[in-house]
């Protein structure tokens, strides 16, 4: 086992050694164990994707899916992404994990295509470190091509902090992805520090209103104001707007009244396996996104 650990860490390079050093000196052996488990898990099919459906709030039609990484640990059971994503990001393993997520999401789209289902928008989360990979654009292009996935039916979800960190790199990379036809969303919007003028310089297609604002949107005037402002901002910038974490009818009604086009949340459906998604796809063909050019 120790040999495997050595081999694996050599393979992923210097970053990992530095990370090990730091973790060792901080004495967080728990996380080191989990990191090693993750490495093994990635190579032995312990990871899989769930897909959360997104809907047009007015028509109720299915408009897209968000792919979410899941880890079934052989001893610990389900480990939540809030646990393993930050660890992967910090250690550099996010490169391998991100590649796998991209591959698997494309494979799934290909399977559905082959079964004759209409193409549906597939959104994938991309973390900061993964986004700064110099080979990202090339990788994405190749992976989509290999699986016959149309870039226009593929979306990256990135964060505001990523845009703030190195705006020039972000503009360049996003422009390349956008030129391919991919869609680009800002996840958890409203929690970061985007300025209006900065937002305009990124070739985005969608804002995802953070769940925390939706949570209080039916009762708290402050949250209502923020949600309304984001919807107006999206309209002003020509972006589609989707609310995440919609759990109640009261929240949905508020969103509809405020002019929000799309929603995602437990009210409509939790993240689910591909088999469950097929039932949705079979029921009715997915609709096109309103509010943006494809
Ligand atoms: P996110 O991208 O904002 O994803 C939405 C999260 O909200 C998901 O949590 C989803 O299960 C949860 N959610 C959806 N609807 C509701 C709702 O109505 N109420 C509540 N309370 N929660 C809802 P999950 O799957 O645990 O993922 C957490 C975060 O981990 C994600 O937040 C995303 O930032 C990250 N993540 C997940 N998969 C990946 C991945 O493949 N790559 C990267 N880089 N990050 C990922
Ligand atoms: Mg997301
Ligand atoms: Mg989100
Ligand atoms: Mg979130």
């Amino acid at each position: 086992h120790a040999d495997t650990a050595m081999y694996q860490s050599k393979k992923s390079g210097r970053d990992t050694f530095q990370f090990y050093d730091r973790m060792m000196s901080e004495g967080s052996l728990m996380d080191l164990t989990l990191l090693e488990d993750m490495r093994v898990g990635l190579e032995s099919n312990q990871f899989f994707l769930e897909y959360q459906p997104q809907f047009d709030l007015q028509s109720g039609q299915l408009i897209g899916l968000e792919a979410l990484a899941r880890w079934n640990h052989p001893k610990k059971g389900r480990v939540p992404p809030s646990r393993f994503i930050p660890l992967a990001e910090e250690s550099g393993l996010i490169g391998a994990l991100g590649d796998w997520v991209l591959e698997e999401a494309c494979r799934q789209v290909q399977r559905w295509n082959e079964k004759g289902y209409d193409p549906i928008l597939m959104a994938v989360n991309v973390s900061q470190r993964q986004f700064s990979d110099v080979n990202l654009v090339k990788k994405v292009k190749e992976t989509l091509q290999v699986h016959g996935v149309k870039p226009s039916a593929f979306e990256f979800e990135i964060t505001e902090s990523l845009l703030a960190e190195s705006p020039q790199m972000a503009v360049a990379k996003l422009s390349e992805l956008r030129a391919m036809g991919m869609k680009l969303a800002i996840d958890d919007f409203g929690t970061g520090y985007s300025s209006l003028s900065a937002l305009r310089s990124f070739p985005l297609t969608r804002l995802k209103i953070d769940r925390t604002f939706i949570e209080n949107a039916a009762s708290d005037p402050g949250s209502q104001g923020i949600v309304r402002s984001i919807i107006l901002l999206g309209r002003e910038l020509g972006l589609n707007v989707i609310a995440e974490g919609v759990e109640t009818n009261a929240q949905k009604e508020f969103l509809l009244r405020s002019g929000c086009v799309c929603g995602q949340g437990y009210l409509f459906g939790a993240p689910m396996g591909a088999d469950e998604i097929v039932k949705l796809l079979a029921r009715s063909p997915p609709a096109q996104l309103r509010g943006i050019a494809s």
Side-chain angles (χ1 to χ4, degrees):
H1 190 74
D3 283 345
T4 317
M6 238 1 239
Y7 169 68
Q8 300 278 357
S9 55
K10 251 184 215 157
K11 213 170 57 170
S12 49
R14 221 176 105 237
D15 279 1
T16 313
F17 279 123
Q18 286 175 350
F19 178 70
Y20 274 27
D21 280 353
R22 188 152 45 87
M23 293 293 279
M24 288 301 194
S25 60
E26 283 168 9
S28 12
L29 284 169
M30 266 299 286
D31 282 359
L32 264 189
T33 308
L34 199 66
L35 176 60
E36 188 47 36
D37 286 357
M38 204 188 328
R39 235 182 266 291
V40 173
L42 259 177
E43 287 173 8
S44 50
N45 293 320
Q46 291 170 19
F47 283 81
F48 60 102
L49 293 181
E50 283 190 328
Y51 306 89
Q52 187 174 33
Q54 305 173 334
F55 295 91
D56 184 304
L57 287 175
Q58 243 163 34
S59 68
Q61 278 176 297
L62 182 67
I63 45 129
L65 302 172
E66 178 177 6
L68 294 156
R70 298 290 180 256
W71 181 14
N72 210 350
H73 189 287
K75 293 211 188 78
K76 298 188 165 90
R78 286 271 192 120
V79 181
S82 56
R83 198 70 216 286
F84 66 79
I85 295 288
L87 187 60
E89 177 82 359
E90 239 196 299
S91 63
L93 194 60
I94 196 72
L97 181 61
D99 288 352
W100 177 82
V101 169
L102 181 66
E103 248 332 296
E104 180 58 20
C106 287
R107 264 196 299 269
Q108 189 54 66
V109 169
Q110 189 178 25
R111 280 182 216 123
W112 285 328
N113 286 346
E114 282 166 358
K115 286 185 179 160
Y117 296 108
D118 287 333
I120 183 163
L121 181 70
M122 175 69 85
V124 163
N125 294 281
V126 176
S127 66
Q128 191 146 355
R129 187 149 174 185
Q130 195 188 345
F131 188 77
S132 28
D133 178 355
V134 288
N135 292 315
L136 179 76
V137 177
K138 192 168 148 264
K139 258 183 208 165
V140 174
K141 205 175 270 182
E142 281 171 6
T143 310
L144 292 178
Q145 214 157 41
V146 164
H147 297 282
V149 178
K150 279 196 314 198
S152 62
F154 216 80
E155 178 173 75
F156 269 169
E157 295 189 5
I158 57 172
T159 60
E160 283 176 273
S161 51
L162 178 156
L163 298 179
E165 184 89 347
S166 50
Q168 280 172 333
M169 183 270 277
V171 168
K173 210 166 267 188
L174 292 173
S175 303
E176 275 189 87
L177 295 168
R178 190 69 195 113
M180 282 167 54
M182 268 187 64
K183 295 189 166 70
L184 303 167
I186 302 194
D187 206 353
D188 307 329
F189 188 76
T191 58
Y193 299 92
S194 303
S195 72
L196 300 189
S197 58
L199 263 186
R200 260 165 51 102
S201 62
F202 301 107
L204 303 163
T205 49
R206 180 187 247 194
L207 302 177
K208 297 193 79 175
I209 310 174
D210 190 64
R211 190 172 78 217
T212 52
F213 305 120
I214 309 302
E215 208 176 325
N216 306 313
S219 51
D220 168 47
S223 296
Q224 290 178 349
I226 293 170
V227 170
R228 283 202 202 94
S229 309
I230 296 175
I231 294 165
L232 287 177
L233 175 63
R235 193 173 298 161
E236 213 51 49
L237 296 175
L239 306 175
N240 173 275
V241 175
I242 184 166
E244 62 176 24
V246 184
E247 293 183 354
T248 68
N249 265 311
Q251 291 165 349
K252 178 190 155 191
E253 293 308 321
F254 166 75
L255 289 164
L256 271 171
R257 279 200 306 279
S258 310
C260 185
V261 178
C262 302
Q264 174 181 349
Y266 296 162
L267 178 66
F268 312 112
M272 56 186 93
D275 292 350
E276 293 299 307
I277 294 294
V278 160
K279 292 180 192 161
L280 292 179
L281 292 174
R283 207 175 300 158
S284 65
Q288 290 305 304
L289 263 192
R290 290 188 292 132
I292 54 163
S294 54

